Amino acid sequence: MNEKLNTLFKKVDYWRWFGFFLAVIGAYVLGNAKVSSQSIGWIICSFSCLIWIIMGIKDKDIPRTLMEVMYFVIGIRATINWLDYS
């Protein structure tokens, strides 16, 4: 029984869940539509994208990786724009 639990926990990739929760939190912050929190929301979303880029490379999933790279670049650009705006 102990071997089954060890195998189960080794297969679970907690980084994916962390990336997911960061995406939810970032979307929530961006959804507040407060100018003062927009840069924070984009930073959180960019970290989420970075995690998903790493997971895409690990899984050898080129389309998903490229999509996340695009969102990561847009997130960094948005962060810079909002920091300059504030």
Side-chain angles (χ1 to χ4, degrees), residues 7-47:
T7 304
L8 176 67
F9 285 118
K10 286 181 182 178
K11 289 183 180 179
V12 176
D13 200 346
Y14 294 104
W15 282 104
R16 295 175 199 273
W17 285 109
F18 185 60
F20 169 74
F21 286 121
L22 282 178
V24 171
I25 292 168
Y28 182 79
V29 171
L30 288 171
N32 286 336
K34 293 181 183 176
V35 174
S36 60
S37 66
Q38 292 297 300
S39 60
I40 295 168
W42 283 109
I43 289 169
I44 294 169
C45 287
S46 295
F47 276 117

Side-chain angles (χ1 to χ4, degrees), residues 38-39 42 72-84:
Q38 292 297 300
S39 60
W42 283 109
F72 180 75
V73 170
I74 290 170
I76 297 301
R77 181 178 179 265
T79 301
I80 292 168
N81 285 337
W82 278 107
L83 288 175
D84 284 343

